[in-house]
Amino acid sequence: MEETLSLQEIAGIIKKRLWIIIILTIISIGISAGISYYVLTPIYQAQTQILVNQNSSSEDVYSWQTTETDLRLINTYHVIITSPVILTPVIETLNLNLTPAQLTSKISITNENDSKVVNINVEDGNPSMAVDISNTVAEVFKEKIPQLMSVDNISILSAAKLSENPIPIKPNKMLNIAIGSLIGLMF
């Protein structure tokens, strides 16, 4: 036979076991706060923006085809920026104990739709190192790209800067605590 519980019975069970629910929630919040604040390494982000244009004559500068070609080359620039051709000199310049593959995992390249602006985002546990890597990648790219492709106009729009009080982007401590409280409630 099937037993059914009414809402009153469920409320009674919850009321009877409320102290266990509260204790488990507090323990879960404490554990997630401890892990977020003391165990997880904070990750900082730095961003450098560059503008890349092709070699072109003065009449072609604003033509639709030139702009369209520049936009299509953005994906190529993404691959070049994260290639060993660019990252090996960055590693040597900054004396990093990383391989190009390890450094690639710290770098993400983005751009806005229909924009020639490329954002070099670097995530690292050390905020000053994230800034140094981001700016050095942009400088090495600016130096090496004319040898690799016919690109003559590379401008660094905004270099990454270290703020006085850098704020980590990871871990999101408040989100972790909220998730911990939900897990505690579920127990």
Side-chain angles (χ1 to χ4, degrees):
M1 293 203 186
E2 224 176 274
E3 283 188 41
T4 59
L5 291 175
S6 69
L7 288 178
Q8 284 182 328
E9 291 171 330
I10 293 173
I13 292 170
I14 290 174
K15 188 175 179 182
K16 185 177 175 183
R17 309 261 191 240
L18 186 62
W19 64 275
I20 293 175
I21 294 170
I22 291 172
I23 289 174
L24 286 175
T25 302
I26 290 171
I27 290 171
S28 183
I29 288 172
I31 290 171
S32 64
I35 290 172
S36 294
Y37 282 94
Y38 300 110
V39 176
L40 297 176
T41 304
I43 302 295
Y44 300 89
Q45 184 178 39
Q47 181 183 59
T48 302
Q49 291 183 326
I50 57 175
L51 174 68
V52 184
N53 287 319
Q54 288 188 53
N55 251 344
S56 58
S57 63
S58 59
E59 302 93 43
D60 293 343
V61 172
Y62 298 108
S63 77
W64 179 79
Q65 282 182 324
T66 303
T67 302
E68 190 65 29
T69 303
D70 285 347
L71 292 175
R72 288 189 179 164
L73 284 172
I74 294 290
N75 290 332
T76 304
Y77 303 146
H78 291 203
V79 173
I80 292 171
I81 289 171
T82 57
S83 72
V85 171
I86 303 298
L87 298 184
T88 301
V90 170
I91 291 169
E92 291 169 359
T93 301
L94 297 175
N95 294 321
L96 300 174
N97 292 326
L98 299 171
T99 64
Q102 291 170 325
L103 186 55
T104 299
S105 69
K106 294 180 176 223
I107 299 172
S108 63
I109 311 298
T110 60
N111 70 304
E112 297 297 322
N113 290 339
D114 299 331
S115 169
K116 296 181 188 182
V117 176
V118 177
N119 300 316
I120 301 170
N121 300 300
V122 177
E123 294 181 0
D124 194 83
N126 181 342
S128 64
M129 184 55 68
V131 168
D132 290 344
I133 292 171
S134 181
N135 289 333
T136 306
V137 167
E139 289 295 330
V140 170
F141 178 72
K142 182 177 178 180
E143 176 186 312
K144 296 274 186 184
I145 197 68
Q147 301 162 8
L148 300 171
M149 298 177 71
S150 62
V151 177
D152 68 338
N153 186 10
I154 301 164
S155 306
I156 296 178
L157 296 178
S158 70
K161 292 183 177 125
L162 182 62
S163 66
E164 288 183 26
N165 296 317
I167 299 171
I169 60 165
K170 295 177 189 174
N172 187 337
K173 296 171 184 167
M174 296 313 286
L175 178 63
N176 291 350
I177 291 170
I179 291 170
S181 66
L182 289 176
I183 290 171
L185 283 172
M186 285 191 300
F187 282 141

